[in-house]
Amino acid sequence: MSPLNIVLLVVWAISALAVVILVLMHSGKGTGVSDMIASSLYNSSAASGVWEKNLDRLTVIASVVFVVTILIFVITFPQGTF
């Protein structure tokens, strides 16, 4: 495995973890896991639009990085070896 693939693997793992965490931080529409976690971080009545917009942006950025690393992996991963 080349050094590029090792770096991509690390970036991919970090972005995957970030996507999971950021999605769970979104405020839910009802009562669920995200509502239980988010209610401990901030009061749902005091949630600002700026916080939600920034959280949305970070989630989109993390998911784009995740998809781009997978596409680069498809192109650069050595074929026929394990």
Side-chain angles (χ1 to χ4, degrees):
M1 193 181 282
S2 71
L4 173 66
N5 285 342
I6 294 171
V7 170
L8 282 174
L9 185 64
V10 171
V11 171
W12 174 76
I14 291 171
S15 66
L17 188 62
V19 167
V20 170
I21 291 171
L22 290 170
V23 166
L24 287 176
M25 286 178 65
H26 278 16
S27 60
K29 299 291 183 224
T31 57
V33 176
S34 63
D35 193 33
M36 289 187 303
I37 294 170
S39 66
S40 65
L41 293 176
Y42 59 92
N43 188 1
S44 62
S45 63
S48 67
V50 175
W51 170 258
E52 290 293 327
K53 284 183 183 179
N54 288 337
L55 191 58
D56 289 341
R57 287 182 187 134
L58 287 173
T59 306
V60 168
I61 290 169
S63 44
V64 166
V65 169
F66 180 79
V67 170
V68 167
T69 54
I70 289 176
L71 293 175
I72 295 172
F73 252 134
V74 167
I75 295 168
T76 63
F77 199 76
Q79 299 297 318
T81 61
F82 292 102

